[in-house]
Amino acid sequence: MTAPRFRDDAPSGDTLTDYDRAHLKLYLRLLDAEADGADWREAVEILFGVNPVLEPERARRMHDTHLARAHWMSEHGYKILRRADPS
């Protein structure tokens, strides 16, 4: 099994993507970290494997864009997933 690959910028817009489907667990973990008050630097190092000290701009961009997408998924994207579910 290979480790998931993360883009530096999460998708944006109102279309559910294959990337979104592949990273649902990541989005949930980001939302949980935010709810728990976790420091974004700790979250990005654990979830993305990116060192925020060595790559601060990239780490912050990855965290912020993926967290924004996680919020979009929790507010809108899940409806698209439900419509696609035949059950």
Side-chain angles (χ1 to χ4, degrees):
M1 183 172 174
T2 60
R5 300 201 38 121
F6 303 110
R7 296 176 10 184
D8 284 2
D9 294 296
S12 60
D14 294 332
T15 303
L16 188 69
T17 68
D18 290 337
Y19 185 89
D20 292 321
R21 286 182 178 87
H23 293 87
L24 291 173
K25 183 177 176 180
L26 169 71
Y27 295 153
L28 292 173
R29 292 180 73 190
L30 282 166
L31 292 170
D32 284 344
E34 180 184 52
D36 290 344
D39 185 277
W40 73 269
R41 290 170 287 263
E42 181 182 3
V44 80
E45 191 160 13
I46 292 169
L47 299 176
F48 295 95
V50 174
N51 186 326
V53 174
L54 298 177
E55 299 181 89
E57 292 175 16
R58 177 178 180 232
R60 188 64 193 218
R61 183 175 60 250
M62 288 180 82
H63 177 270
D64 291 353
T65 63
H66 283 82
L67 180 59
R69 192 59 173 185
H71 281 284
W72 179 84
M73 287 293 295
S74 72
E75 296 163 7
H76 306 286
Y78 79 93
K79 296 174 189 173
I80 300 168
L81 284 172
R82 285 200 46 137
R83 283 195 300 254
D85 184 5
S87 61

